[in-house]
Amino acid sequence: MEEVRVRFPPSPTGYLHIGGARTALFNWLFAKQHGGKLILRIEDTDEERSTQASIDGIIEGMQWLGIDWDEGPYFQTEFSQDHIDAANRLLASGQAYKCFCTKEELEQKREAALAQKKSDVGYDGTCRHLSAEEIAEKEAQGIPYVIRFKVPERQGTLFYDDQVLGRIERAYSEFEDFVIVRSNGKPLYLLCNVVDDIRDRITHIIRGQDHMTNTTRQVLLYEALEAPLPSFAHMPLTLDLKKRKISKRSHGEIVAVQFYRDNGFIPWALCNFLCLLGWNPGTEQEYFSREELIQAFDLSRMSRVNSVFNFRPGDAKFFTDPKLIAMNEHYLRSMDLEALGTMVQKELAAADLWDEAYATTQKDWYLHTLGLIRDRFHTLKDFTTAGRAYFAEDYGVDPKPLKKNVLKHPDLKTWLPQLAERYKGLADFSAETTEQLCREFADELEIKPGILINGMRTVLTGQLAGPSMFDIVTTLGQERVVARLSNIDHLYTEA
Ligand code: GLU
């Protein structure tokens, strides 16, 4: 069987956004599933809008997501000659022609057609039939021209079989002779993209439904360039709650892949979320490992209707799609601790909390601690915020538990240091012994142990909730627990 070759050809005019990443992911899955190749091609022919920062962002974004490519990145601008050659071939074979109509003439004709309520307001083919002499004369006068593709004069419809949508047809009469080279000599996307896909021997083009109007015209170009037609699969679009297409322009950073990298998301959680935007496995399964997804992915299960990226600008809880947050929590909780350790290391380092010992002598402690505290966390950022007390002494105390669990009981000011004294003398500092001692002390004081336990939690971690108290105590260790419980006056004075 012919080798499967797919491509991801972003235009580097902005950051890599959710929609682009999903396209890359689907192409990657398809390539992996078929033992094929993914080609990364940067379509940088729009010189004014393409930027190096965007190229870097796309590459970094894909690397972060783990979407690796087999060839490239190729840069479209490096193949300009191929595009010009193709246009010249089409001219030479009579399948394209030079059009000298000016913008003003075209606009006038369009308006006239609109005024007459004609349904067809496309190009009327004025320059289609110019003689060689007429062309030579206009050229000699230096009149600028574009090159238009000559749509074959055929009855009936053009069609292709879309792998998602089935047969797509368009009547030949609906096409106008479209421009393939601008008056400045620069070939347009429609042509460059086809020429590159032919050169890169692309077998399957998997892209958004917003490209369907391009596809029918490109089918004509494949035929004219005598190249085999690849398979097309058009994916549903991703919309916001107001049914607007997700775009960098209207939605800002929340749709940028970088945002998720910078805000503590796990790359695979984002991939897993993205794959369910517009695709379903046909089962109840929601969480997929990389291998499972490669196995399960199937273009025929792609939805035909658009999917919704459910976020509400300005709403802290819905700052991104809650399903994506839930996926992130799931992976935080269930992923291999070593792998989590590497990700958290970056966060700790960025917050100046990383200690090299966590990778060597204290590695067991480090991984155990992550395993203990990750259950309630939403993102990797939480390890340096809500989890700061495990890695530093300068952690803040949340005002809510401070009020409820500490300030409400002024006697804790003496009780907790007393408990610290007892802990100090404990030879075997374990969850059992520390709990027992705490309960005995509560009995002596004739108070509920909860008063001591909640106070301790707040003082030791700064948080209202968390893992089991005496697991926290042993994880923090005798020295830190004693020091923190002895030194609580500032909590009363600062409050
Ligand atoms: N450069 C185009 C884009 O980013 C490529 C579309 C395609 O052919 O897949 O939309």
Side-chain angles (χ1 to χ4, degrees), residues 7 9-11 23 41 43 76 189 193 197 205-208 210-211 218:
R7 71 333 178 242
S11 304
T23 303
R41 184 173 71 229
E43 297 206 323
Q76 193 158 52
Y189 157 78
N193 186 252
D197 282 339
I205 294 184
I206 305 171
R207 62 184 177 189
D210 49 340
H211 284 288
Q218 291 187 322

Side-chain angles (χ1 to χ4, degrees), residues 167-392:
R167 179 153 293 195
I168 303 294
E169 296 186 70
R170 191 168 166 201
Y172 279 101
S173 58
E174 283 177 20
F175 289 92
E176 67 172 338
D177 288 347
F178 52 90
V179 178
I180 52 175
V181 179
R182 287 198 186 85
S183 57
N184 63 6
K186 295 230 185 278
L188 279 152
Y189 157 78
L190 272 180
L191 178 66
C192 302
N193 186 252
V194 167
V195 169
D196 291 346
D197 282 339
I198 295 172
R199 190 197 51 252
D200 292 337
R201 293 177 285 116
I202 301 303
T203 56
H204 296 75
I205 294 184
I206 305 171
R207 62 184 177 189
Q209 284 177 13
D210 49 340
H211 284 288
M212 289 180 75
T213 52
N214 294 330
T215 303
T216 41
R217 288 179 292 170
Q218 291 187 322
V219 169
L220 291 171
L221 290 174
Y222 275 95
E223 186 193 51
L225 292 167
E226 295 175 349
L229 193 65
S231 282
F232 287 96
H234 288 100
M235 301 174 298
L237 304 181
T238 305
L239 309 178
D240 69 7
L241 278 175
K242 290 189 183 138
K243 301 245 155 54
R244 287 181 310 179
K245 199 182 140 196
I246 291 286
S247 76
K248 29 200 176 200
R249 213 169 306 153
S250 23
H251 298 92
E253 63 164 8
I254 198 66
V255 300
V257 168
Q258 259 163 2
F259 174 86
Y260 296 91
R261 183 195 64 189
D262 297 344
N263 283 283
F265 280 75
I266 292 164
W268 185 253
L270 182 54
C271 287
N272 196 154
F273 168 78
L274 288 177
C275 86
L276 295 173
L277 280 180
W279 175 82
N280 77 79
T283 64
E284 294 294 301
Q285 187 172 356
E286 287 213 303
Y287 295 104
F288 293 86
S289 68
R290 193 185 127 106
E291 285 65 36
E292 283 172 335
L293 193 59
I294 291 170
Q295 277 274 317
F297 185 69
D298 178 357
L299 280 179
S300 69
R301 296 215 63 90
M302 192 83 79
S303 163
R304 288 160 179 241
V305 291
N306 294 329
S307 49
V308 174
F309 182 48
N310 181 4
F311 71 101
R312 303 172 194 172
D315 181 334
K317 210 163 153 215
F318 278 83
F319 74 96
T320 188
D321 195 316
K323 193 161 169 181
L324 173 51
I325 301 176
M327 289 238 160
N328 207 49
E329 291 164 352
H330 167 87
Y331 283 103
L332 265 187
R333 259 168 235 154
S334 57
M335 76 189 286
D336 171 63
L337 273 176
E338 286 266 352
L340 179 66
T342 311
M343 290 185 185
V344 175
Q345 176 176 349
K346 286 192 193 127
E347 298 294 337
L348 291 177
D352 234 356
L353 297 174
W354 175 250
D355 184 337
E356 269 314 312
Y358 299 160
T360 53
T361 48
Q362 289 184 39
K363 186 166 176 188
D364 288 346
W365 175 84
Y366 173 63
L367 295 184
H368 167 80
T369 303
L370 300 190
L372 183 72
I373 62 181
R374 65 177 169 178
D375 274 6
R376 285 170 190 269
F377 287 176
H378 313 290
T379 73
L380 294 167
K381 291 280 168 217
D382 293 337
F383 288 91
T384 62
T385 53
R388 192 175 176 97
Y390 295 87
F391 307 103

